[in-house]
Amino acid sequence: MGAVQARMETALQRFLPAPEIVPGRLHRAMRYAVLGGGKRVRPLLAFAAGELAAADPGRIEVVAAAIEMIHAYSLVHDDLPCMDDDVLRRGRPTCHVEFDEATALLVGDALQPLAFQILTEHVIADSPGAQLEMLRILALASGSRGMAGGQAIDLASVGKTLSLPELELMHIHKTGALIRAAVVLGARCGSGLAAKQFDRLEHYAKTVGLAFQVVDDVLDCDSSTATLGKTAGKDAAQAKPTYVSILGLARARALAEELRAEAHAALSSFGAEAQRLRELADFIVLRKF
Ligand code: GRG
């Protein structure tokens, strides 16, 4: 994990505009939002899935950087006063606190197209058609039928009681779509997977995406701001429906364990080449931050 995280830090530094380039303040804010923090879960998943498909690591690096830029932009916008209104992210002031609201808005506006720009500037697939399809997958995962749509459902759900399927639908979009894209695009950097194997990998991706959110809800409830590097206890304070509010803490923890087992089962027909994906399912469920 350390090796991938270090590699990603270097790659992201390279792909992001240098702070000296005009407009310097925007570029400094973009670098602030992306660099020097974060678990890099989505890049880790992309590299692990790419390994399964015998993909070139250079290709995976580009895909992982693009996904991490989209993820970083979503966090910057999510923290804005008009959304979740938070002041702490990755143990530091949020982007709009460190810079200002207009700059934070522009950080998202600039990171999103930069993600697609780098995907067009590097060869990441065996044919132009396959590469175009990868861009389409990321666009779908990020937009109103993916992450942005999930955020819209999230904002509309505050103060409401959701059923478990409704909560799941929200999270499949808000958090799950980009996590699924990381796995699918990592694998698509290679060409070694048969259709059936790909289906199993997609099932794994959907399962760890959901597990990630269940654990996020548990941590928001039973961890501290210091450990998380972001404000703990916000879900309850904002009356947000979560796995903990619907199931209670013990059943939410049990659900995360069930999803971990399901993710492992989805990979049962693979051998040692899926070991990193198995370890990441464990990491996602057992993490403390
Ligand atoms: C603003 C379009 C738009 C979307 C925002 C993902 C998201 C949608 C908002 C983030 C809100 C949130 C805290 C969701 C819970 C799950 C989540 C995505 C946590 C943050 O991801 P990590 O834990 O963050 O991977 P790091 O800092 O490790 O990169």
Side-chain angles (χ1 to χ4, degrees):
M1 281 176 69
V4 170
Q5 286 163 337
R7 178 176 188 154
M8 284 314 297
E9 192 69 15
T10 310
L12 287 163
Q13 294 218 25
R14 203 174 67 240
F15 289 132
L16 285 159
E20 308 79 51
I21 296 176
V22 176
R25 184 175 168 80
L26 177 58
H27 291 149
R28 282 197 302 282
M30 288 163 72
R31 297 177 75 87
Y32 180 84
V34 176
L35 300 174
K39 298 177 287 297
R40 310 293 189 208
V41 165
R42 294 149 195 82
L44 286 161
L45 285 166
F47 270 91
E51 195 172 308
L52 187 71
D56 166 24
R59 287 183 179 183
I60 307 171
E61 181 180 277
V62 178
V63 162
I67 292 168
E68 197 63 7
M69 284 177 193
I70 303 255
H71 168 61
Y73 119 69
S74 82
L75 298 182
V76 170
H77 279 192
D78 184 66
D79 289 332
L80 283 169
C82 63
M83 294 218 190
D84 227 22
D85 192 10
D86 215 328
V87 295
L88 192 69
R89 170 73 64 186
R90 295 174 170 172
R92 299 185 301 183
T94 46
C95 192
H96 67 275
V97 171
E98 183 72 13
F99 291 86
D100 55 75
E101 274 184 48
T103 303
L105 200 66
L106 288 171
V107 162
D109 292 342
L111 282 176
Q112 182 154 217
L114 182 58
F116 288 95
Q117 182 191 328
I118 65 168
L119 292 180
T120 63
E121 287 174 346
H122 299 83
V123 173
I124 52 167
D126 290 343
S127 71
Q131 181 146 346
L132 204 55
E133 175 61 10
M134 289 169 76
L135 272 94
R136 197 183 75 89
I137 290 170
L138 186 58
L140 257 177
S142 313
S144 62
R145 290 168 65 195
M147 182 182 73
Q151 181 77 345
I153 301 174
D154 182 305
L155 293 173
S157 308
V158 174
K160 290 195 184 144
T161 311
L162 294 189
S163 66
L164 208 52
E166 284 170 335
L167 187 70
E168 189 171 309
L169 185 81
M170 173 172 97
H171 290 313
I172 283 173
H173 288 79
K174 190 179 99 168
T175 319
L178 205 57
I179 289 183
R180 176 185 169 274
V183 173
V184 165
L185 294 180
R188 278 180 175 261
C189 287
S191 48
L193 288 188
K196 250 198 175 142
Q197 291 177 311
F198 209 86
D199 286 350
R200 292 191 193 112
L201 187 64
E202 283 217 278
H203 186 70
Y204 164 89
K206 188 182 165 223
T207 308
V208 292
L210 211 51
F212 186 92
Q213 187 61 54
V214 176
V215 172
D216 208 74
D217 288 357
V218 168
L219 289 175
D220 182 76
C221 174
D222 80 346
S223 190
S224 67
T225 298
T227 307
L228 294 179
K230 61 181 180 179
T231 314
K234 279 203 78 178
D235 293 336
Q238 293 182 335
K240 279 198 172 183
T242 67
Y243 283 96
V244 174
S245 72
I246 293 179
L247 295 176
L249 198 52
R251 281 178 62 208
R253 282 204 190 104
L255 175 60
E257 270 306 320
E258 278 168 31
L259 291 167
R260 177 156 80 111
E262 192 177 330
H264 277 265
L267 301 175
S268 61
S269 62
F270 294 103
E273 68 280 12
Q275 192 51 26
R276 281 187 203 282
L277 287 169
R278 294 187 188 98
E279 286 168 4
L280 281 169
D282 294 344
F283 172 71
I284 284 168
V285 172
L286 302 175
R287 70 199 162 98
K288 299 286 174 231
F289 59 95

